[in-house]
Amino acid sequence: MAAPLAARRGAGDAGGRRGPLLPPLLLALLLARPAAALVEGLYCGTRDCYEVLGVSRAAGKAEIARAYRQLARRYHPDRYRPEPGDPGPGGAPISAEEAFLLVATAYETLKDEETRKDYDYMLDHPEEYYSHYYHYYRRRLAPRVDVRLVILVSVCAISVFQFFSWWNSYDKAINYLATVPKYRIQAMEIAKEQGLLRKAKEKGRNKKSKEEIRDEEENIIKNIIKSKVDIKGGYQKPQICDLLLFQILLAPVHLCSYIIWYCRWVYNFNIKGKEYGEEERLYLIRKYMKMSKSQFDSLEDHQKETFLKRELWIKENYEVYKQEQEEELKQKLANNPRWKRYRRWMRNEGPGRLTFVDD
C-alpha cells in the first residue's frame, strides 16, 4: 500500500515540477517564427533579389544596373504579356504589374550599398527575425532629408523673422518718439547746434523740393533720437546676439558662466557671509518681483533708487512693499469712476441677467 502511494506521490511531484515548465514552452511555440532567410513583406518577399535580377551575390553595381534595364524592358506592363507556363522574374509566373514591381524592388534593394549590406546579412543570419524587420523599416521610414539640416534651416528662418520683427518695433518706437514734443524739441535743438538743419536747407535750394527737405530734416531728427535715447524693453534696438541662432550657439558659454556665477554667489554670500553689493541687491529685488532682466532694465533709475532705499532685497521689506502696492492699487480702483460703474453694474445687474435697458 505504501509503495503505490509513494509512486503516486512521486508522479504527482514530477507533474508538479513539469507544470511550471509548460507555459514557457507554449509561449516559445507561439512566439516561434520560421527561420527561413526570405520573409514575406521584406525586400523581395520570399524570392531572392539576386535570382530576380539573374545576378550573383558578387555582382557589381554596373552588372546589377545592366540586368535591371534588360528586365525592365522585358517585363514592362505595356510590353509584357505573360502566357500560361511563362516563368516570370525569379522563376514564378506572375502578372505584368507584379513582375515589373518585383524587378524594380530587387534593383532598389541591391543598388544601395547600405540596403544591400542589410539584405546580405538577412540571407546569412535568417534566425535574427526581428532584427531584420527593425533594420528594414528603420531605413524605409527614415526621413529623406537630414533632420539636422531641417532644424538648422528652421532656426535660421526664425532668427531672420525675429530680427526683422524687432527692427520693425524699434522703428515704430523711434517714429513715435519723433512726434513727442519733449524729444522732438530737444532733437531739433541738437540739430541746430550741430548745423545739420542748415546744411539740409542749403543743399535743398538748388536740387530738392520742400517736401524732400522736410523728409531729410525728419530723418535727421530721428537719427538724433536714435543716438540719444536709450530705448529698453520690447522696443529696444535689435542685437545680433539676441537672436535664437546665436542664443543656441552661445548656450554652452551661458551655462558655464551661470555655473561659475552661482558657485561664486554661494561661496561669497552663503559661506563667507559677505554683504551684498548694489548689483546683487538689484538682482534679488528683480527675483522677488519676478521680472525678466529686460523688464527690470526698462524701469526708471529713480524707481531702482527707491527699491534700494527701502532695502527691498530683504524678503520681509519686500513683502511690506508688495502689500502697500496692492492697497494703493485697490484705492485707485475704488476712486476710479469706470471701476465704480462696473461694480455698480455687477451688483445690480450682473452677468447673464435679462434687462430692457438699451445701454
Side-chain angles (χ1 to χ4, degrees):
M1 188 68 179
L5 182 59
R8 285 197 300 270
R9 186 180 295 113
D13 294 342
R17 288 193 297 270
R18 288 196 301 270
L21 297 177
L22 290 178
L25 292 175
L26 291 175
L27 184 62
L29 292 174
L30 291 174
L31 295 178
R33 293 289 187 270
L38 303 177
V39 181
E40 187 67 34
L42 299 183
Y43 305 105
C44 298
T46 56
R47 305 186 185 187
D48 192 335
C49 293
Y50 291 101
E51 294 181 0
V52 171
L53 295 180
V55 296
S56 64
R57 291 186 59 174
K61 286 186 177 181
E63 185 179 353
I64 292 174
R66 184 167 54 253
Y68 165 71
R69 287 193 295 268
Q70 294 176 357
L71 294 174
R73 287 193 298 266
R74 176 181 176 185
Y75 292 108
H76 195 277
D78 295 336
R79 303 178 58 183
Y80 179 59
R81 295 294 181 268
E83 298 179 356
D86 183 14
I94 52 179
S95 63
E97 291 79 7
E98 293 175 343
F100 187 78
L101 181 61
L102 181 61
V103 171
T105 303
Y107 177 66
E108 291 293 331
T109 302
L110 300 181
K111 75 173 184 177
D112 184 69
E113 290 293 337
E114 298 296 328
T115 307
R116 183 177 180 181
K117 186 184 299 184
D118 291 342
Y119 183 71
D120 291 341
Y121 186 84
M122 187 185 75
L123 295 179
D124 297 333
H125 303 83
E127 70 280 357
E128 299 181 13
Y129 181 82
Y130 295 104
S131 176
H132 303 325
Y133 263 95
Y134 168 74
H135 289 289
Y136 174 77
Y137 283 105
R138 186 192 66 173
R139 193 174 300 280
R140 187 179 183 87
L141 300 177
R144 301 300 178 184
V145 182
D146 192 353
V147 179
R148 294 170 294 183
L149 181 61
V150 175
I151 295 175
L152 178 61
V153 172
S154 302
V155 170
C156 292
I158 295 174
S159 301
V160 172
F161 175 78
Q162 278 183 329
F163 182 78
F164 284 104
S165 177
W166 290 347
W167 193 265
N168 186 34
S169 300
Y170 177 71
D171 286 340
K172 287 182 179 180
I174 295 298
N175 293 333
Y176 170 75
L177 294 177
T179 60
V180 178
K182 172 184 175 182
Y183 299 103
R184 186 176 184 86
I185 293 173
Q186 293 180 1
M188 291 184 67
E189 291 178 355
I190 294 174
K192 289 179 181 179
E193 292 176 358
Q194 296 179 356
L196 299 177
L197 297 180
R198 185 176 65 256
K199 292 180 180 179
K201 292 180 179 179
E202 291 176 355
K203 291 181 180 179
R205 289 177 180 176
N206 300 326
K207 298 181 180 179
K208 299 180 181 180
S209 62
K210 293 182 178 180
E211 294 181 357
E212 293 176 342
I213 295 174
R214 192 181 303 111
D215 293 339
E216 187 173 349
E217 291 178 352
E218 192 70 19
N219 291 330
I220 292 173
I221 293 174
K222 290 180 181 179
N223 290 331
I224 293 175
I225 293 176
K226 288 180 181 179
S227 60
K228 299 298 181 179
V229 178
D230 185 15
I231 302 177
K232 298 179 181 179
Y235 293 92
Q236 64 183 0
K237 187 175 182 180
Q239 302 292 334
I240 297 296
C241 59
D242 294 333
L243 299 180
L244 178 61
L245 177 61
F246 290 90
Q247 288 294 316
I248 294 175
L249 295 177
L250 297 176
V253 178
H254 294 323
L255 180 60
C256 294
S257 301
Y258 174 76
I259 294 174
I260 295 173
W261 172 86
Y262 184 77
C263 293
R264 287 180 177 176
W265 181 283
V266 173
Y267 175 74
N268 290 328
F269 304 113
N270 294 353
I271 298 177
K272 297 184 68 175
K274 289 185 177 180
E275 293 186 0
Y276 297 125
E278 181 176 345
E279 182 179 354
E280 290 78 13
R281 293 172 180 176
L282 291 176
Y283 168 75
L284 290 175
I285 296 172
R286 177 170 66 85
K287 181 181 178 182
Y288 292 151
M289 291 184 174
K290 298 180 180 179
M291 300 176 64
S292 64
K293 190 175 185 305
S294 59
Q295 290 175 334
F296 192 78
D297 291 341
S298 62
L299 297 177
E300 299 292 338
D301 294 336
H302 66 87
Q303 292 179 294
K304 298 179 181 179
E305 292 177 359
T306 303
F307 297 158
L308 294 174
K309 288 180 180 179
R310 298 197 57 174
E311 299 183 352
L312 297 186
W313 66 87
I314 302 175
K315 187 67 174 179
E316 293 76 10
N317 296 343
Y318 174 74
E319 294 295 337
V320 175
Y321 173 80
K322 182 179 178 182
Q323 188 68 25
E324 292 177 358
Q325 293 297 315
E326 292 177 354
E327 294 295 334
E328 184 179 352
L329 179 60
K330 290 180 181 179
Q331 188 67 26
K332 288 182 180 179
L333 291 177
N335 297 329
N336 191 345
R338 296 181 59 184
W339 178 249
K340 290 181 179 180
R341 288 198 300 269
Y342 175 73
R343 287 190 302 170
R344 191 182 305 116
W345 176 81
M346 288 293 293
R347 183 176 61 253
N348 297 333
E349 302 295 338
R353 292 188 57 183
L354 295 177
T355 178
F356 293 99
V357 180
D358 294 335
D359 55 354

